[in-house]
Amino acid sequence: MAFGRNEMNISVYAPVLTSDDGRPLAIVHGMERALPGLRLGWTTSEKEDLISLPHRDEWVASNKAGGGFPFLCNDDDAHLVTISGWENPNGLAADGAPHFEIHAQLPFDAAGIAAAADVLAAIGEGARAYWGHATPFNATVEISRQTVDPVRKPGVPPRGLPALRFPNYIRSPEIPRRLGWLNYWSAAAARAIGFPDPAHDAELLSRSRCTATGGWVVQLTEAPLDLDDSTHLDALKRAYERFPEIGGRAAP
C-alpha cells in the first residue's frame, strides 16, 4: 500500500474529543460525501494486510483509542485514500492544551485534486476544527522546514520563506501554525488573523469560499502548490506577508 511521493496531504487541528463525541463519524461521512464513490470501509493489520469492516460505523464509534479514531482506507491501491485521527498531548499554542488532529491522504490525480477543497472543508467542519490545510506532499515537506528555533530546531527556512515559530509563541490555537495550498480557517481562526479584509484580500477572495459554519476554505494558487514554480512561491510569500500572525511571527 505504498503512496506516490506527491500525494495530497490533508492535516486538520481541532479541540480534543469528549467521551461521547460524534465527530469521528461526522468526519468519515463528510469525507465520503465529498469524494464521489469513496467508501472508507477497510483498515489494516500490523502486517499491513487489508481488513474489511462490514460494520464500519459501529467500529469507528466504539474504537477511540488514543483519543481519536483508527486508520481507515478504501480498497483501491491505485487510488488510495486514507484517514486517521488521534489526540496530540502537545499544544497548538502557548496554553499547552492538547488537541485532536486528523490526517488524510488523497491520490495526486485529477479526481483527488478536484475534490481536495471539498474534502478539506468536510473534515474541518466535521471536526469543528480550528484550522487545517491540504497541500501536495513535496510542498508540505518544504513548508515543514519553515518552523525553526535557535535551540530546538536550528536552521534556515528554504527558498527565502519566513521562519515560523514553535507553538509556545502562538497566542491561541485558532491561529494557524503554517499555510498550505488549500487552507481551512474556522470563523474564529479567520477573525484571529484578520481575514477577510476586502481592501487587501481581493485576490484570495476570488479563490475562497465560506463554509456553513462561517469558516473559510482559501486557495493560494489555481494549480496545486509547486514551490519550483516561482509564481507559486511568490504567492505563498505574499500570503505570509499578509498574515503575520500565522506561525507566531507577530508575537514579541
Side-chain angles (χ1 to χ4, degrees):
M1 301 186 69
F3 294 110
R5 281 296 81 195
N6 208 23
E7 66 270 6
M8 186 71 71
N9 287 349
I10 298 176
S11 300
V12 172
Y13 303 89
V16 293
L17 295 178
T18 59
S19 58
D20 58 348
D21 209 310
R23 283 182 287 160
L25 274 179
I27 291 164
V28 173
H29 290 167
M31 189 173 181
E32 289 179 333
R33 287 192 297 270
L35 191 55
L38 176 64
R39 172 64 180 170
L40 295 165
W42 291 264
T43 189
T44 56
S45 69
E46 291 184 0
K47 295 182 179 180
E48 297 192 357
D49 295 324
L50 204 61
I51 300 171
S52 177
L53 300 170
H55 305 289
R56 191 274 315 275
D57 283 6
E58 293 85 345
W59 184 80
V60 169
S62 63
N63 198 335
K64 294 180 180 175
F69 59 96
F71 177 89
L72 289 168
C73 63
N74 62 344
D75 185 16
D76 185 352
D77 223 17
H79 302 89
L80 189 61
V81 178
T82 73
I83 190 167
S84 57
W86 57 85
E87 182 176 317
N88 188 326
N90 299 315
L92 291 170
D95 64 8
H99 64 277
F100 173 42
E101 57 184 70
I102 305 98
H103 296 275
Q105 290 177 311
L106 305 178
F108 197 71
D109 58 17
I113 292 167
D118 288 338
V119 172
L120 175 62
I123 296 173
E125 297 283 279
R128 299 195 292 276
Y130 301 121
W131 60 275
H133 65 87
T135 308
F137 174 84
N138 292 340
T140 300
V141 171
E142 295 208 61
I143 291 168
S144 72
R145 294 176 182 152
Q146 287 182 252
T147 302
V148 296
D149 183 86
V151 175
R152 287 179 286 177
K153 190 184 174 189
V156 177
R159 301 181 186 261
L161 289 166
L164 307 179
R165 306 179 82 183
F166 276 73
N168 52 296
Y169 292 100
I170 297 176
R171 59 184 174 83
S172 74
E174 289 83 7
I175 296 173
R177 291 181 59 184
R178 64 185 68 87
L179 287 166
W181 174 48
L182 299 164
N183 299 274
Y184 174 83
W185 297 332
S186 66
R191 285 194 300 271
I193 63 173
F195 180 85
D197 179 345
H200 297 94
D201 297 326
E203 182 183 356
L204 286 177
L205 282 167
S206 72
R207 293 190 297 271
S208 301
R209 58 174 171 153
C210 195
T211 71
T213 63
W216 290 87
V217 175
V218 179
Q219 181 174 330
L220 291 192
T221 53
E222 288 295 337
L225 193 63
D226 176 1
L227 297 184
D228 287 329
D229 184 326
S230 62
T231 63
H232 286 204
L233 181 60
D234 288 344
L236 182 59
K237 289 178 179 178
R238 286 197 305 273
Y240 277 117
E241 184 176 354
R242 166 66 185 90
F243 303 110
E245 288 278 2
I246 290 176
R249 292 171 300 126

